[in-house]
Amino acid sequence: MQNEDRVFETFLRQYRGIFRVLINAAEQITSQYAVSFEQYLLLKQIHEQRNITLSELADSTRTTRSAAARKLRALLLDGFVEQEAKLDDRRVKYLRLTDKGTDVEHDIRQAFLQSAQTWEQIPTSLTPADITSFFTQYQQSIAVWDRNRPKFQRPVLRAKKNELSGH
């Protein structure tokens, strides 16, 4: 149990010290264009994968279809993205960036690249390949952990589900 406590405390410290800083920095860039970082990830994916559907977008950004639809709705309303029905199946809608969306995706990408240049100013003995290798290994480890960790349901939902099923 002591080891689990140490891992948990390390996770919290890393989240506060690393991930939150990175997410805040990303939000600082994207908010200048009236989009969230999560919405930018959708713009980027639509830009890179032309004629993508909502289901494909959700899969490629590792989010649920409803979460992707919610973020996409604002991008559609703000004129960054447009939909076009597939000719032989009108139920299938392809997503593509508008000119406005293309400009915003490009400008945000350039801001991120400019921000990334400051990494080179950090004194370290790590090479860019070392850093990339670390992040790749870390991502793979997190993916294994996520597949194997216990999945919890919120207590209220579990109680309601049990109530409806008669348990």
Side-chain angles (χ1 to χ4, degrees):
M1 186 65 168
Q2 190 176 17
N3 187 43
E4 288 87 358
D5 284 342
R6 195 170 54 248
V7 169
F8 179 64
E9 290 302 321
T10 300
F11 166 77
L12 292 177
R13 211 172 23 262
Q14 285 182 348
Y15 177 79
R16 286 190 306 265
I18 298 171
F19 301 117
R20 192 181 69 204
V21 170
L22 293 173
I23 289 168
N24 287 343
E27 289 286 349
Q28 222 174 24
I29 291 170
T30 60
S31 66
Q32 296 176 42
Y33 299 90
V35 297
S36 69
F37 179 62
E38 292 291 324
Q39 288 173 317
Y40 168 70
L41 294 177
L42 297 184
L43 288 175
K44 181 179 179 299
Q45 194 63 39
I46 294 168
H47 173 75
E48 291 172 353
Q49 197 174 340
R50 304 217 192 305
N51 291 327
I52 189 171
T53 65
L54 176 61
S55 294
E56 293 167 339
L57 183 63
D59 289 345
S60 64
T61 57
R62 297 180 183 184
T63 188
T64 64
R65 194 173 187 281
S66 61
R70 198 170 39 254
K71 293 168 198 159
L72 181 63
R73 191 172 306 117
L75 296 172
L76 288 162
L77 291 172
D78 290 336
F80 295 123
V81 175
E82 61 189 7
Q83 297 182 50
E84 183 179 317
K86 187 176 178 184
L87 292 176
D88 59 346
D89 186 352
R90 309 285 299 158
R91 295 171 298 171
V92 176
K93 305 267 193 267
Y94 290 122
L95 304 169
R96 63 176 58 107
L97 298 184
T98 62
D99 290 342
K100 179 181 176 182
T102 299
D103 290 345
V104 166
E105 192 281 332
H106 176 267
D107 290 350
I108 291 173
R109 178 186 295 269
Q110 293 308 308
F112 275 122
L113 291 174
Q114 184 180 1
S115 179
Q117 289 174 351
T118 61
W119 279 90
E120 295 174 8
Q121 299 167 4
I122 300 171
T124 181
S125 60
L126 297 174
T127 67
D130 293 335
I131 294 169
T132 299
S133 176
F134 166 77
F135 280 121
T136 301
Q137 290 175 5
Y138 191 72
Q139 182 181 17
Q140 290 169 348
S141 296
I142 293 294
V144 169
W145 171 79
D146 189 42
R147 280 192 305 274
N148 296 320
R149 71 181 172 83
K151 304 298 190 256
F152 299 99
Q153 291 182 340
R154 292 188 291 180
V156 173
L157 293 178
R158 189 177 321 119
K160 188 171 216 148
K161 184 178 176 184
N162 289 342
E163 180 183 309
L164 293 173
S165 66
H167 291 124

